[in-house]
Amino acid sequence: MTPTRSPSDGDFSSLFNFLPIGAYRSLPDGQMLRANQALVRLNGYEDEAQLLLGVKDVATEWYVQPGRRAEFVAMLQRDGFVKGFISEIWRHKTRERVWISENAHSVSDPLGQVLFYEGTVEDITERIQVQQALRTSREQLEQITDQIPGMVFSLHQSHDGMRRYDFVSSGVRGIYEFEPGDLQRDPMLITRHRHPDDVGLLEAESEAVKQAPVSLSGEFRIVLPDGRIKWVYKRSSAVNHDSQGTQRVGVLLDITARKEAETALHASETLWKLALESAGDGVWDWNICTGEEFFSNSIRAMFGYAEDDIANLSAELDARTHPDDVQQMQLDRQAHFDGLVPVYRNEHRIRCKDGSWKWVLSRGVVIARDDKGQPLRMVGTHTDITELKEAEAQQHTLEVQLRESQKMEAIGTLAGGVAHDFNNLLAAILGNLVLAREDVGEHHPAQESLAEINRAAIRARQLVQQILTFSRRQTQEMQRQPLKPLVEEALGLMRSLLPAGLKLVTRLPSSSLQVLADATQMQQVLMNLCTNAWQSMEGRSGDITVALRDVRLDASQALQLGGLASGAYACLSVADNGPGMDAETQRRIFEPFFTTKAPGTGTGLGLAVVHGIVKAHRGAIDLHSRPGEGTRFDVYLPLAAEGAAGEALSAASPTLPAIAKSAPAGKHVIYIDDYEALVFLVGRLLRKHGHEATTFESGEAALEWMHTHPEVPVDLVVSDHNMPGLSGVETAIEIRRLRPGLKIAIISGHVNDQLLTDAAAAGVSEVMGKQDSMDALGEAIRDLLVRAV
């Protein structure tokens, strides 16, 4: 489709195309007339022609929210222009979701009739994501600090004493009885509530902050408007100090109740301990000289012990501390004893009465020392932080899984690219082998060597197919079908192949479990897993158990399996009672070419292929193994919705019709491929079969030849699709402009629905998958020539 150019474009067409943001011209009904390169790239296309050909109606094809286009048009009709119109859209070709900001105006004729819209489109996805992340982070911070008793704040204090509160938690209400926003608007509001007797302390703190990035802590009094007096504890520290001033974070706690309790109960140590324990933590009081230690009832209850279960000795809880945590706990204690840290703080695990472990945060301070500075008495608290530690562990696990998933995706992309190039090399090798064997004659001594080369090349091609399966670049025949019969069929074959001494145990459900799957690939998954299981037995006898069941994954389980959607799944399990795997082997088990077998006994692709197939089926694979306890692989596949079995969901590559017995000779074929060896080989093959062959290594070279040789008749053009510069489809579009009736065929190693659609729109007659051999390619070309006649 040729873009419509307005006479007013003039010299601004180059500016239009080189704008760093998208620019367009469209009809009011949504049809695109012009698009610059930035907008073309934004929508995932190679050039403007592709975009204009692909986009029919931006209202339904572009905006994520269908009604957004109507709002856009209404504003243009009302005001004649739109500024900063922010929407979420689809990248038209790839269907990725991005955020954009549009500016546009309508262009009318002298009678006021709208001719078209012109506008710009800026990709603001990153800005929106940053805003959303900041908003989420802010909301999470507010939610977290709302759970903390007292006021949490972030404060910037310049060197001249001016303050700015960047964050104030809702806890300020409980202390000062005003809103966080009040303090942010008037940063000095908090200082005007200081008790007159404590103003000097505030001034000393301000001077100290001006001099250096110090940490501050202490108690002071405030006076509320109604005359009430409160005690407040403040702790803050500097997080940044520069020429502009100091950024500080801290917390204010209302300690009025504690101060009142200390005043009223200072004569009674027991009551003082009860008051401290009321904060919710367990309290301990340790006589370091004698080893006696008072444990509050809440500490005993925290670990499930009754009062008589634990004697009042420090050794009692130390003996119940996890062995892995004892050394660090002792080091942290000693650091406080030596005065290196003002407060003892340590996280460790303690064994509960029921045998389980709880994480505690232990904090304490020495309150008495002898004349030599040696500690005599220490008091502190235990806080149960088990849930927090479990959450941290789960987060770490998810991060590791994410990194592993990203690594496997990267390896798959690399493997697929290498396999594609290697396939071209093998095609040249096998093609030249066919010609060489014909050239030397059937009884030539070299035939034996050539046959060995052929067998090795065939084996290499099979290896490439496994790599392509791993990288999920093979065409799939996805159908809605029952999984149980596929498993039963594969197991029937497995029983005849199973080595002596191994027993195959099956646990299959009564239901068939409908899934969307490629039958051949799913049987390959089961065969590879079973093969891996019996090879791990290393000649020993044992059981291989194959089980199939339906499961329902909740959101947490689905997330741990690599980000699946929650819902109903079929779970196919293969387990063995072999030697199991260590952690390092489990970490690398799905990597291509990784194997624990002896050199020459395995390619290391079996489980990598399984991983690729399962991912391509939108499923997940989970591994359970320990040294000496065997191994189990669980494959999760989403159950299909109700529907007719066998309904095809995606078409495989189009199959070639029956090969003609004979083909007309003397035809002129143009062959295009960026791989030089294939170009030479195909040209030789065509000439050997009596055709005239003109070959090129790029679409640009072929087009140039056709421009300069319009008088030379051509019967067929065969072009590779994936080439540097012009692709096969783009080359076909240009050839059809030069010779509208010429028959064109495209070859691709990855035929998909998008390629078929693009090729049909370009007038391509045939789309063929990469042929397995030169013979197959030659027959395909002869068949095309027959049908061209």
Side-chain angles (χ1 to χ4, degrees), residues 327-345:
Q327 182 179 8
Q328 188 61 48
M329 180 179 68
Q330 293 174 342
L331 290 173
D332 290 341
R333 280 181 186 172
Q334 194 61 45
H336 178 56
F337 290 169
D338 296 341
L340 300 178
V341 292
V343 177
Y344 162 70
R345 188 183 188 282

Side-chain angles (χ1 to χ4, degrees), residues 44-98:
Y45 288 97
E46 297 290 336
D47 55 35
E48 184 184 19
Q50 286 186 355
L51 174 62
L52 297 182
L53 184 64
V55 177
K56 305 302 181 187
D57 183 1
V58 296
T60 58
E61 299 172 359
W62 208 39
Y63 293 97
V64 174
Q65 296 180 339
R68 198 65 176 152
R69 173 68 177 181
E71 297 175 24
F72 179 79
V73 172
M75 294 175 67
L76 278 172
Q77 292 174 343
R78 185 190 66 202
D79 304 327
F81 65 90
V82 172
K83 288 186 178 180
F85 190 79
I86 296 176
S87 307
E88 189 177 16
I89 67 163
W90 304 101
R91 289 190 195 276
H92 190 268
K93 183 175 182 181
T94 63
R95 308 311 290 168
E96 299 170 287
R97 291 164 73 143
V98 296

Side-chain angles (χ1 to χ4, degrees), residues 12-13 23 45 112 257 293 328 414 470 511 546 584 586 589 616 660 674:
F12 289 98
S13 60
Y45 288 97
E293 186 168 3
Q328 188 61 48
L414 174 62
F470 160 72
S511 57
V546 177
E584 177 62 18
Q586 293 182 54
I589 195 64
D674 61 309

Side-chain angles (χ1 to χ4, degrees), residues 67 73 79 184 195 233 242 303 350 381 405 449 467 548 587 599 603 646 669 692 710 712 727-728 742 751:
V73 172
D79 304 327
Q184 290 178 303
H195 193 282
Y233 171 81
D242 55 26
F303 306 116
I350 293 180
T381 61
S405 176
S449 298
I467 295 174
L548 181 63
R587 188 180 67 83
T603 64
V669 179
E692 180 183 353
V712 178
S727 68
L742 182 56
V751 178

Side-chain angles (χ1 to χ4, degrees), residues 288-343:
I288 300 173
C289 295
T290 65
E292 293 178 307
E293 186 168 3
F294 162 80
F295 301 118
S296 66
N297 290 333
S298 59
I299 281 187
R300 289 183 167 87
M302 187 181 299
F303 306 116
Y305 294 109
E307 184 173 356
D308 297 336
D309 291 337
I310 301 180
N312 287 323
L313 295 171
S314 61
E316 288 290 323
L317 277 190
D318 285 356
R320 291 169 172 80
T321 301
H322 196 286
D324 294 344
D325 302 337
V326 171
Q327 182 179 8
Q328 188 61 48
M329 180 179 68
Q330 293 174 342
L331 290 173
D332 290 341
R333 280 181 186 172
Q334 194 61 45
H336 178 56
F337 290 169
D338 296 341
L340 300 178
V341 292
V343 177

Side-chain angles (χ1 to χ4, degrees), residues 21-28 32 39 58 62-63 69 71-87 100-107 114 116-122:
I21 62 176
Y24 67 88
R25 177 176 293 166
S26 71
L27 293 177
M32 298 291 292
L39 187 58
V58 296
W62 208 39
Y63 293 97
R69 173 68 177 181
E71 297 175 24
F72 179 79
V73 172
M75 294 175 67
L76 278 172
Q77 292 174 343
R78 185 190 66 202
D79 304 327
F81 65 90
V82 172
K83 288 186 178 180
F85 190 79
I86 296 176
S87 307
I100 61 163
S101 175
E102 290 185 77
N103 296 317
H105 69 275
S106 59
V107 178
V114 176
F116 48 78
Y117 300 151
E118 290 181 333
T120 60
V121 178
E122 181 181 3

Side-chain angles (χ1 to χ4, degrees), residues 353-551:
K353 186 175 182 179
D354 62 6
S356 63
W357 295 92
K358 273 193 176 180
W359 278 96
V360 296
L361 169 61
S362 184
R363 289 169 290 194
V365 63
V366 172
I367 61 173
R369 294 179 181 269
D370 61 17
D371 295 339
K372 297 180 180 180
Q374 296 300 310
L376 301 175
R377 184 182 176 192
M378 186 177 183
V379 296
T381 61
H382 276 345
T383 304
D384 184 351
I385 59 170
T386 304
E387 291 185 1
L388 175 62
K389 299 296 286 188
E390 289 175 347
E392 290 175 351
Q394 184 179 25
Q395 178 68 20
H396 175 72
T397 300
L398 293 176
E399 290 173 354
V400 170
Q401 289 177 340
L402 176 61
R403 286 195 294 270
E404 286 298 311
S405 176
Q406 291 171 337
K407 180 181 72 174
M408 293 302 295
E409 289 296 326
I411 292 174
T413 301
L414 174 62
V418 171
H420 174 77
D421 292 341
F422 195 44
N423 235 354
N424 285 336
L425 293 170
L426 288 172
I429 292 171
L430 288 167
N432 278 291
L433 271 173
V434 172
L435 296 174
R437 296 181 77 174
E438 292 179 1
D439 291 343
V440 301
E442 182 179 355
H443 302 293
H444 195 281
Q447 283 288 358
E448 184 177 356
S449 298
L450 292 173
E452 286 300 316
I453 295 173
N454 185 70
R455 279 192 286 272
I458 293 296
R459 173 66 181 125
R461 190 173 64 196
Q462 293 170 346
L463 185 61
V464 168
Q465 296 306 310
Q466 291 190 66
I467 295 174
L468 288 172
T469 301
F470 160 72
S471 63
R472 305 194 295 280
R473 296 193 177 190
Q474 289 292 77
T475 303
Q476 292 177 309
E477 185 69 27
M478 298 288 282
Q479 292 184 329
R480 182 182 289 106
Q481 55 190 309
L483 181 59
K484 180 182 176 182
L486 298 180
V487 173
E488 290 174 332
E489 183 179 339
L491 290 176
L493 177 61
M494 289 295 301
R495 286 189 172 89
S496 63
L497 300 176
L498 206 63
L502 294 181
K503 178 183 178 183
L504 187 61
V505 180
T506 58
R507 297 172 183 169
L508 303 182
S510 56
S511 57
S512 59
L513 301 182
Q514 294 281 332
V515 294
L516 301 177
D518 182 301
T520 301
Q521 291 190 352
M522 289 316 304
Q523 290 184 331
Q524 184 179 1
V525 165
L526 183 55
M527 295 285 285
N528 285 12
L529 290 177
C530 289
T531 300
N532 183 78
W534 85 50
Q535 289 177 346
S536 72
M537 306 295 281
E538 299 177 344
R540 295 187 293 267
S541 60
D543 294 343
I544 296 176
T545 303
V546 177
L548 181 63
R549 67 186 190 280
D550 62 304
V551 297

